[in-house]
C-alpha cells in the first residue's frame, strides 16, 4: 500500500474500534458485500477513490447505491472509509476487505480460534488439488464457490470463519487460495493483538514444547504468538519458524543444502 493508504487503513481501524459492540459479524458481512459491489463497478470505484470528490458526495452516492442494503452502522463506517485518501482503487478495495475481516471477528467468542480454523482449512485445500481448483479457478462462479465453502465448513468452523472464507473466494483479486487464507489469518490474529508463527517440524511436537516455544517467541516479538504447526518429514530434523517475513531456519535439510552450496563453491 502507498503511504496515503497506510494512513487511511489506520484511520479505518480506529473507526472500527470506536464502534465497540457494534463491530460484529453482521457488520463484516455488509462490508464484504459492499467491497464486491465496488469491485464490480469501475465507475463507482473511481468516484469513491477520487480524493477530489467531497466526502459528503461520496456518502450520498453510497446511500443511492446501497439504499437499505446497509444498516446505519455499516453506512457510517463505510462512509468514513471512503472519505479517507487512498493511494489507488485497489488499495481502497483492500482496505474495505481488511476492515470487513476485522469486523467479522470482533464479536467472536474467546474460544473461537478463527485464525487456526483458517490455517486448518488452508492445509486441507492445499492437499486436495480438485478442491483447490474449485475454489481458486478464475472461471468458477463466485456464488457456487461460496456455497461450496458453506457446505464444507458448516458445523465444523465458526460463523466468522465461514463468512471470511466465503467472501474471499468470491473476490480473490488475483490471489491464490492459500495466500488469501494466510492473509486473512494474519489480520484475524492482529485484531486480537497477536501474530502468527508457522512452525515446520519433521515430527509432531508436544503441547508443552509448543507452549514454551510460543513464550520464547513472544519475548522476541513483544506480543502473543499463535502457533500453526506443519509436519513435514522432508526437513529431516530441527525446526523452521516463520513470523511474518522473518524466517528462522534451523532444519537439517537447510544445513545440508548450505553444505552442498559450500562444496560446490
Amino acid at each position: 500500500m502507498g503511504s496515503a493508504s497506510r494512513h487511511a487503513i489506520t484511520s479505518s481501524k480506529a473507526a472500527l474500534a470506536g464502534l465497540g459492540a457494534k463491530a460484529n459479524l453482521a457488520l463484516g458481512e455488509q462490508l464484504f458485500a459492499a467491497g464486491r459491489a465496488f469491485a464490480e463497478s469501475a465507475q463507482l470505484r473511481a468516484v469513491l477513490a477520487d480524493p477530489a470528490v467531497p466526502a459528503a458526495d461520496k456518502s450520498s452516492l453510497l446511500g443511492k447505491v446501497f439504499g437499505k442494503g446497509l444498516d446505519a452502522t455499516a453506512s457510517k463506517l463505510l462512509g468514513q472509509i471512503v472519505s479517507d485518501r487512498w493511494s489507488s482503487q485497489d488499495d481502497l478495495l483492500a482496505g474495505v476487505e481488511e476492515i470487513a475481516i476485522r469486523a467479522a471477528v470482533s464479536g467472536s467468542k474467546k474460544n473461537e480460534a478463527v485464525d487456526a480454523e483458517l490455517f486448518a482449512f488452508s492445509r486441507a485445500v492445499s492437499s486436495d488439488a480438485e478442491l483447490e481448483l474449485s475454489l481458486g479457478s478464475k472461471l468458477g462462479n463466485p456464488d457456487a464457490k461460496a456455497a461450496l465453502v458453506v457446505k464444507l465448513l458448516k458445523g465444523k468452523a465458526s460463523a466468522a470463519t465461514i463468512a471470511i472464507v466465503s467472501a474471499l473466494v468470491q473476490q480473490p483479486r488475483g490471489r491464490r487460495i492459500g495466500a488469501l487464507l494466510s492473509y486473512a489469518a494474519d489480520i484475524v490474529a492482529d485484531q486480537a493483538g497477536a501474530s502468527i508463527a508457522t512452525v515446520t517440524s519433521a515430527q509432531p511436537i508436544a503441547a508443552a514444547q509448543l507452549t514454551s516455544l510460543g513464550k520464547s517467541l513472544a519475548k522476541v516479538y513483544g506480543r502473543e504468538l499463535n502457533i500453526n504447526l506443519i509436519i513435514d518429514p522432508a526437513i529431516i530434523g530441527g525446526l523452521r519458524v516463520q513470523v511474518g517475513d522473518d524466517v528462522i531456519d534451523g532444519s537439517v535439510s537447510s544445513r545440508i543444502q548450505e553444505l552442498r552450496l559450500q562444496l560446490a563453491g
Side-chain angles (χ1 to χ4, degrees), residues 16-28 30 71-74 76-77 103 106-107:
L16 177 67
L19 294 177
K22 293 181 180 180
N24 53 32
L25 177 57
L27 175 61
Q30 290 180 76
D71 64 23
T73 300
K76 181 179 180 180
L77 178 58
S106 291

Side-chain angles (χ1 to χ4, degrees), residues 157-180:
S158 64
T161 297
I162 295 174
I164 291 170
V165 178
S166 298
L168 292 178
V169 298
Q170 288 181 79
Q171 189 179 315
R173 294 191 289 115
R175 298 164 295 180
R176 294 179 65 86
I177 183 66
L180 281 174

Side-chain angles (χ1 to χ4, degrees), residues 108 244 250-251:
S108 297
S251 65

Side-chain angles (χ1 to χ4, degrees), residues 236-265:
I236 303 175
L239 295 176
R240 183 179 186 275
V241 180
Q242 181 169 356
V243 181
D245 294 329
D246 295 343
V247 177
I248 305 169
D249 196 341
S251 65
V252 173
S253 62
S254 175
R255 295 170 191 169
I256 291 175
Q257 180 61 23
E258 289 176 2
L259 179 59
R260 284 174 177 166
L261 291 174
Q262 290 173 10
L263 293 174

Side-chain angles (χ1 to χ4, degrees), residues 92-141:
L92 172 59
L93 284 177
V96 172
E97 183 179 76
E98 177 173 338
I99 299 304
I101 292 172
R102 291 180 181 277
V105 297
S106 291
S108 297
K109 299 176 182 178
K110 290 185 177 181
N111 64 342
E112 291 180 342
V114 175
D115 59 323
E117 291 178 346
L118 290 170
F119 173 74
F121 187 64
S122 176
R123 297 294 294 169
V125 172
S126 65
S127 65
D128 188 326
E130 185 177 349
L131 176 58
E132 186 170 22
L133 180 62
S134 297
L135 293 176
S137 173
K138 295 179 180 179
L139 302 177
N141 179 281

Side-chain angles (χ1 to χ4, degrees), residues 1-2 4-5 45-46 48-51 85-95:
M1 282 189 172
S5 295
R45 198 165 61 248
L48 295 176
D50 187 347
R85 184 184 182 92
W86 296 87
S87 302
S88 68
Q89 295 180 29
D90 285 343
D91 281 0
L92 172 59
L93 284 177

